[in-house]
């Protein structure tokens, strides 16, 4: 018998009044893996997390987390998971160590075990030297690491990370990534929502792209990129007249045109022969194209091709969806 997925959701729907936030979301997450839900603000990522963590009921559909039904077996689900949201949930008036000891006691650990676990986590998250300081003196990166440590007082089967590195500097983000990698090696399943393309590309075994409350694509980072193209040819037109002529010639093959900057892109396999062929096709007189560059397709290219906009485009969120 195949191993039961850590998370399995079918037909999840959710609406706030007339606004349909989720429109039939299906997900399956393997145990001991990192699964990333990628999408812009308002796409439905946080609503999905809230349903899977029993904080919000779905209007329709069914979901199992750690083998338990999120609607019928809420208490069992909650014993099996941990959630780190977009905002830290720690007491700034206490020290880092006091926060972790308190969380240990709330998780019903004996006093000595709670103290020992706090010491272990401070060391794991590189917070030992600052453990005796009030959290109010911590940097943003230190607070995020402490918040992650608090969510691991009792090791969960599934850890939900809802945009855990938003606002962090590159060094702090790298430290969080290292922690996530270590956790999956120990068998913890990670459900990660993020707007950072590099984060999903770096960490996730499987990625689902959500837009408008629907899953529009799913697979490994490499598989998703292959749906668009192995590489992309970025071009800058010599002037607006050349831009109009070039994009008009390419038609539906044009990706991400920006008339104000005279830039646009087209898919390519990355070989010199194909790049030459494209340039010869669209600019045989060698006057219309001012500059060009070739690079590998990114997850942003995937999202752009599938939805018509990038994951960094800011959209108004409805009820924190």
């Amino acid at each position: 018998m195949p191993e039961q997925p850590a998370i399995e959701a079918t037909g999840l729907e959710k609406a706030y009044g007339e606004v349909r936030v989720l429109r039939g979301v299906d997900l399956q997450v393997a145990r001991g893996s990192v699964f990333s839900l990628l999408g812009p603000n308002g796409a439905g990522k946080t609503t999905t997390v809230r349903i899977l963590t029993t904080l919000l009921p779905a209007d329709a559909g069914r979901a199992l987390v750690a083998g338990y039904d999120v609607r019928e077996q809420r208490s069992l689900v909650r014993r099996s998971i941990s959630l780190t949201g977009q905002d830290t949930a720690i007491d700034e008036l206490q020290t880092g160590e006091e926060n972790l000891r308190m969380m240990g006691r709330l998780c019903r650990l004996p006093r000595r075990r709670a103290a020992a676990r706090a010491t272990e986590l401070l060391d794991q998250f590189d917070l030992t030297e600052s453990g005796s300081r009030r959290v109010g003196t911590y940097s943003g990166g230190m607070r995020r690491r402490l918040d992650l440590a608090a969510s691991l007082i009792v090791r969960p089967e599934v850890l939900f990370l809802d945009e855990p590195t938003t606002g962090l500097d590159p060094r702090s983000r790298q430290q969080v990534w290292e922690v996530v990698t270590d956790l999956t090696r120990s068998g913890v399943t990670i459900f990660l929502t993020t707007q950072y393309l590099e984060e999903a590309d770096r960490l996730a075994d499987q990625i689902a792209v959500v837009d408008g409350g629907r899953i529009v694509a799913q697979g490994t980072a490499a598989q998703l990129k292959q749906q668009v193209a192995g590489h992309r040819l970025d071009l800058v037109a010599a002037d607006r007249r050349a831009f109009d002529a070039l994009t008009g010639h390419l038609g539906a093959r044009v990706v991400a045109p920006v008339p104000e900057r005279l830039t646009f892109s087209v898919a390519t396999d990355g070989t010199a022969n194909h790049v030459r062929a494209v340039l010869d096709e669209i600019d045989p007189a060698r006057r219309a194209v001012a500059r060009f560059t070739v690079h590998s397709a990114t997850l942003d290219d995937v999202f752009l091709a599938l939805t018509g906009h990038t994951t960094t485009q800011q959209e108004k969120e409805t009820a924190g969806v």
Side-chain angles (χ1 to χ4, degrees):
M1 293 290 292
E3 187 176 37
Q4 184 180 32
I7 300 172
E8 191 169 12
T10 306
L12 294 183
E13 297 184 11
K14 186 65 182 179
Y16 297 99
E18 298 298 318
V19 180
R20 295 182 64 192
V21 179
L22 299 183
R23 302 167 179 261
V25 169
D26 299 330
L27 294 172
Q28 191 169 94
V29 180
R31 291 182 182 271
S33 68
V34 178
F35 182 93
S36 179
L37 193 60
L38 178 67
N41 286 340
K45 301 189 305 296
T46 296
T47 296
T48 300
V49 169
R50 288 177 178 171
I51 290 172
L52 295 177
T53 55
T54 76
L55 298 178
L56 186 70
D59 295 335
R62 184 169 186 248
L64 300 177
V65 176
Y68 303 115
D69 189 290
V70 298
R71 185 185 296 271
E72 304 297 332
Q73 300 170 295
R74 294 174 62 192
S75 62
L76 293 174
V77 171
R78 291 182 177 184
R79 292 177 191 173
S80 305
I81 68 172
S82 189
L83 167 65
T84 297
Q86 297 177 25
D87 300 314
T88 57
I90 47 181
D91 186 347
E92 295 190 356
L93 297 179
Q94 295 191 86
T95 67
E97 183 178 8
E98 288 170 343
N99 267 275
L100 295 181
R101 287 190 180 195
M102 178 184 69
M103 289 302 299
R105 296 295 286 153
L106 290 173
C107 292
R108 301 181 180 179
L109 293 181
R111 191 177 302 277
R112 288 187 179 180
R113 178 55 186 150
R117 185 63 177 145
T119 300
E120 292 171 4
L121 289 168
L122 288 171
D123 180 62
Q124 180 180 352
F125 284 81
D126 194 23
L127 292 169
T128 299
E129 292 185 4
S130 55
S132 59
R133 285 169 41 197
R134 270 195 318 110
V135 172
T137 67
Y138 283 18
S139 67
M142 292 168 66
R143 294 185 190 198
R144 174 53 72 190
R145 298 205 308 277
L146 181 64
D147 196 39
L148 282 170
S151 69
L152 296 170
I153 287 289
V154 177
R155 198 182 84 162
E157 289 188 47
V158 182
L159 175 60
F160 290 87
L161 300 178
D162 191 13
E163 302 192 16
T165 62
T166 297
L168 296 187
D169 60 78
R171 182 175 180 275
S172 296
R173 185 172 296 136
Q174 179 70 37
Q175 290 175 325
V176 172
W177 291 353
E178 291 172 358
V179 170
V180 170
T181 300
D182 289 342
L183 286 171
T184 54
R185 287 173 181 164
S186 69
V188 176
T189 302
I190 307 290
F191 189 102
L192 169 72
T193 71
T194 183
Q195 295 183 70
Y196 294 115
L197 305 166
E198 182 186 4
E199 189 161 83
D201 207 349
R202 170 79 173 269
L203 297 175
D205 300 298
Q206 288 283 317
I207 298 169
V209 180
V210 62
D211 187 49
R214 293 188 175 93
I215 302 297
V216 295
Q218 188 168 334
T220 65
Q223 289 169 341
L224 292 176
K225 292 173 188 176
Q226 197 59 43
Q227 290 186 28
V228 179
H231 295 77
R232 195 178 74 182
L233 178 62
D234 293 335
L235 302 129
V236 180
D239 52 40
R240 182 55 187 264
R241 183 176 180 180
F243 175 88
D244 292 339
L246 292 167
T247 55
H249 175 83
L250 288 166
R253 294 160 60 191
V254 173
V255 178
V258 183
E260 296 78 11
R261 298 181 180 179
L262 303 178
T263 62
F264 62 96
S265 303
V266 62
T268 174
D269 63 11
T271 64
N273 286 339
H274 190 257
V275 171
R276 289 192 191 99
V278 172
L279 292 172
D280 287 343
E281 173 196 348
I282 65 176
D283 188 18
R286 301 185 180 182
R287 296 173 182 170
V289 175
R291 297 185 303 279
F292 71 88
T293 57
V294 180
H295 64 77
S296 298
T298 67
L299 290 179
D300 206 16
D301 297 329
V302 172
F303 207 91
L304 179 62
L306 292 171
T307 70
H309 57 79
T310 69
T311 55
T312 55
Q313 177 179 333
Q314 293 299 310
E315 298 181 357
K316 183 178 180 180
E317 292 196 28
T318 303
V321 298

